[in-house]
């Protein structure tokens, strides 16, 4: 009943959703299988365990499916439709909305049910098509500003907040400096980040002391932003609350980095200026570059970590991508240095 091959075969079949005429596209990610229909999306979490999540039990997958719906309804209220039970009954699988439980079958897994969004309206797609102007981001800025205004503050002491960055720095060093990777500039970028953490420790401590850390999104990338009317943001991190506990300017530094990598370096500064106004909290000029370097090195680490998998998907992709993030980290370190020098004058 719980065999994953049988589950996937069922979920790939158009008839499983009640209309055999609609094709189903299956996309595999690091942590999920995603099944796309014309107007709907169904997401099945893999029974995997990583240092930052554990989906190995049915109870955990049920909990995190519900958490994914609850948390993402904050910025995408009409997108996350609920949770579906994958049931086994009379020798066959069925999909049952949670609202219709209990049902005669045995629940063997859980899926998140979503409305499918138009891919051509992602921030990534609009950037690549050169279809964006500053005025197009006004509604997104309003959404993000309102979200962080209402997001609850997280009580984290200054030492613990700084330690989170130091921990990530150590983990990133362990991956990027592996001899088999031969990643150019990685050692220099890591040395620069270590110096930034020393010089910018006071900035990070101050953010924690002032309770600027919020229960945010945690994975604010342009492919998760859809410029609809109104815009929506999907795929927040549901599986690890600490990874979602962020300074709003850390989130926007990350989004700005990803937009710059995609070819639109102006987006980050515009959204950061708007956030400073919305929160009445202009950040120190060196804070965003510090967050940007941290995020760039983290992204380089995550890229190269794919090559540590027993059978990495698209292995040719990860080293060039990590190399671009290392270059972005070095550029961000230069901006941090200039900002600190300007601030001391």
């Amino acid at each position: 009943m719980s065999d994953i091959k049988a589950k996937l075969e069922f979920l790939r079949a158009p008839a499983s959703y009640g209309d055999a005429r609609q094709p189903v596209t299956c996309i595999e990610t690091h942590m999920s299988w995603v099944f796309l229909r014309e107007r709907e999306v169904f997401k099945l979490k893999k029974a995997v365990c990583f240092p930052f999540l554990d989906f190995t039990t049915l109870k955990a997958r049920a909990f995190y499916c519900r958490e994914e719906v609850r948390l993402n309804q904050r910025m995408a209220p009409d997108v996350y439709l609920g949770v579906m039970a994958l049931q086994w009954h009379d020798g066959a699988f069925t999909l049952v909305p949670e609202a219709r439980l209990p049902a005669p079958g045995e629940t063997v897994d859980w899926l998140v049910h979503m409305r499918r969004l138009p891919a051509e309206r992602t921030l990534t797609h609009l950037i690549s098509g050169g279809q964006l102007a500053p005025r197009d981001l006004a509604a997104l800025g309003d959404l993000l500003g309102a979200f962080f205004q209402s997001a609850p503050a997280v009580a984290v002491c200054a030492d613990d907040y700084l330690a989170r960055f130091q921990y990530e720095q150590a983990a990133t060093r362990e991956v990027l400096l592996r001899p088999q990777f031969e990643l150019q500039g990685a050692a220099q970028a890591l040395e620069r980040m270590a110096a930034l953490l020393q010089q910018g420790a006071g900035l990070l401590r101050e953010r924690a002391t002032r309770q600027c850390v919020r229960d945010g999104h945690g994975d604010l990338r342009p492919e998760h932003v859809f410029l609809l009317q109104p815009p929506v943001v999907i795929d927040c991190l549901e599986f690890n609350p600490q990874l979602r506990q962020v300074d709003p300017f850390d989130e926007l530094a990350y989004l700005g980095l990803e937009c710059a990598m995609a070819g639109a370096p102006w987006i980050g500064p515009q959204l950061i200026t708007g956030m400073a106004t919305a929160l009445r909290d202009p950040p120190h000029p060196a804070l965003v570059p510090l967050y940007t370097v941290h995020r760039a090195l983290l992204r380089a680490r995550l890229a190269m970590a794919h090559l540590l998998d027993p059978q990495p998907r698209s292995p040719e992709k990860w080293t060039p991508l990590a190399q671009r993030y290392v270059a972005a980290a070095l550029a961000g370190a230069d901006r941090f240095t200039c900002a600190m020098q300007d601030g001391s004058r």
Side-chain angles (χ1 to χ4, degrees):
M1 287 188 297
S2 60
D3 181 75
I4 188 60
K5 292 183 179 179
K7 293 178 185 178
L8 294 178
E9 182 179 357
F10 171 79
L11 292 168
R12 289 189 177 109
S16 301
Y17 305 90
D19 185 352
R21 296 169 299 175
Q22 279 193 36
V24 177
T25 301
C26 178
I27 298 174
E28 182 179 0
T29 72
H30 210 51
M31 296 177 287
S32 303
W33 287 279
V34 182
F35 303 90
L36 305 172
R37 301 183 74 224
E38 183 179 355
R39 293 186 176 88
E40 297 173 291
V41 177
F42 297 82
K43 183 189 294 185
L44 176 70
K45 297 183 186 300
K46 293 180 176 179
V48 292
C49 184
F50 299 116
F52 49 87
L53 68 82
D54 186 350
F55 289 165
T56 52
T57 67
L58 179 63
K59 182 178 179 180
R61 295 195 297 279
F63 174 79
Y64 286 114
C65 280
R66 296 186 185 106
E67 279 292 274
E68 182 172 350
V69 172
R70 179 184 71 84
L71 291 164
N72 280 290
Q73 283 179 339
R74 298 176 299 173
M75 284 199 286
D78 298 325
V79 175
Y80 285 79
L81 304 177
V83 174
M84 305 283 286
L86 178 63
Q87 292 209 314
W88 180 259
H89 181 59
D90 286 344
F93 289 112
T94 56
L95 281 171
V96 181
E98 186 175 29
R100 296 182 187 173
L101 297 177
E106 176 189 356
T107 298
V108 295
D109 228 315
W110 296 89
L111 294 93
V112 174
H113 183 202
M114 301 169 61
R115 176 168 65 90
R116 186 171 181 178
L117 299 173
E120 66 273 12
R121 296 305 300 169
T122 63
L123 195 51
T124 302
H125 189 275
L126 294 171
I127 290 171
S128 66
Q131 303 171 41
L132 277 179
R135 64 180 180 274
D136 298 325
L137 293 180
L140 175 62
D142 292 342
L143 172 69
L144 293 172
F147 171 71
F148 280 111
Q149 281 177 316
S150 63
V154 176
V156 53
C157 75
D159 287 345
D160 287 347
Y161 189 56
L162 178 60
R164 292 182 184 188
F165 290 85
Q166 294 168 335
Y167 171 83
E168 294 295 345
Q169 166 77 352
T172 299
R173 177 180 293 276
E174 194 279 327
V175 173
L176 295 189
L177 295 187
R178 293 193 176 205
Q180 70 265 36
F181 288 155
E182 298 182 346
L183 204 57
Q184 295 181 1
Q188 181 186 0
L190 287 162
E191 289 172 6
R192 296 286 301 274
M193 182 61 194
L196 264 60
L197 284 176
Q198 288 186 326
Q199 298 170 47
L203 300 179
L204 296 175
R205 290 176 179 275
E206 180 190 24
R207 299 302 288 176
T209 301
R210 291 179 50 217
Q211 295 190 320
C212 297
V213 180
R214 310 289 178 93
D215 184 4
H217 184 278
D219 197 18
L220 193 58
R221 290 186 275 154
E223 56 263 43
H224 297 159
V225 176
F226 289 76
L227 294 189
L228 308 174
Q229 295 181 346
V232 297
V233 180
I234 66 170
D235 274 357
C236 90
L237 291 183
E238 85 287 356
F239 51 79
N240 188 319
Q242 182 169 308
L243 295 179
R244 216 172 48 243
Q245 295 170 359
V246 287
D247 184 340
F249 294 103
D250 184 3
E251 291 259 52
L252 291 184
Y254 182 25
L255 180 59
L257 166 69
E258 295 298 311
C259 289
M261 295 276 286
W266 56 272
I267 290 179
Q270 177 178 329
L271 292 175
I272 287 165
T273 298
M275 185 66 69
T277 301
L279 299 181
R280 298 178 183 176
D281 179 26
H284 186 285
L287 184 67
V288 171
L290 173 57
Y291 284 143
T292 300
V293 177
H294 163 69
R295 290 287 184 169
L297 287 174
L298 176 58
R299 291 292 282 168
R301 176 181 112 203
L302 294 176
M304 297 307 290
H306 283 87
L307 298 179
L308 301 177
D309 291 344
Q311 294 181 319
R313 292 179 290 117
S314 306
E316 72 287 348
K317 170 183 176 180
W318 304 115
T319 300
L321 181 60
Q323 203 71 70
R324 292 184 64 209
Y325 280 117
V326 168
L330 290 169
D334 289 341
R335 291 193 296 273
F336 173 90
T337 300
C338 291
M340 290 295 284
Q341 291 174 345
D342 290 343
S344 64
R345 290 173 185 168

